[in-house]
Amino acid sequence: IVGGNSATDGGGLYSLGALTMENSSLRNNHAFETGGALYTAGTAAVSLSIFEENSAGEGGAIASRGEDYLRYQRSTSAFVPWFPRKEQA
């Protein structure tokens, strides 16, 4: 479990090389720029994982850059949306 972290890019995890992520949980992470939970500039394979309540300027859960690719199994991974509460007057 990776949670409660913040960074410019890749609030939970920042990867420049080959990444295989399985049976993982990234929760409550924040990136000021891109990739609230995960930023990858290399190849990445994601399965059996949960992305919950992550946020960023772009790519609240995942940001993938570069010429490599991101492969994830949507049927085995869950992306739980995060809706910030509105401030009360």
Side-chain angles (χ1 to χ4, degrees):
I1 296 176
V2 176
N5 298 297
S6 63
T8 301
D9 294 306
L13 184 60
Y14 185 92
S15 175
L16 296 177
L19 171 71
T20 300
M21 191 168 79
E22 183 176 275
N23 201 25
S24 300
S25 176
L26 284 88
R27 293 186 169 123
N28 300 313
N29 298 291
H30 175 74
F32 298 101
E33 299 285 329
T34 59
L38 169 64
Y39 175 94
T40 179
T43 59
V46 178
S47 63
L48 299 168
S49 297
I50 296 173
F51 295 82
E52 184 176 2
E53 296 185 5
N54 299 286
S55 62
E58 285 184 30
I62 299 174
S64 179
R65 299 285 191 260
E67 296 179 15
D68 293 320
Y69 65 92
L70 168 70
R71 181 181 68 224
Y72 73 93
Q73 293 180 316
R74 195 174 84 181
S75 62
T76 62
S77 296
F79 294 85
V80 180
W82 180 65
F83 301 101
R85 295 181 184 183
K86 292 183 180 180
E87 292 185 27
Q88 296 180 355

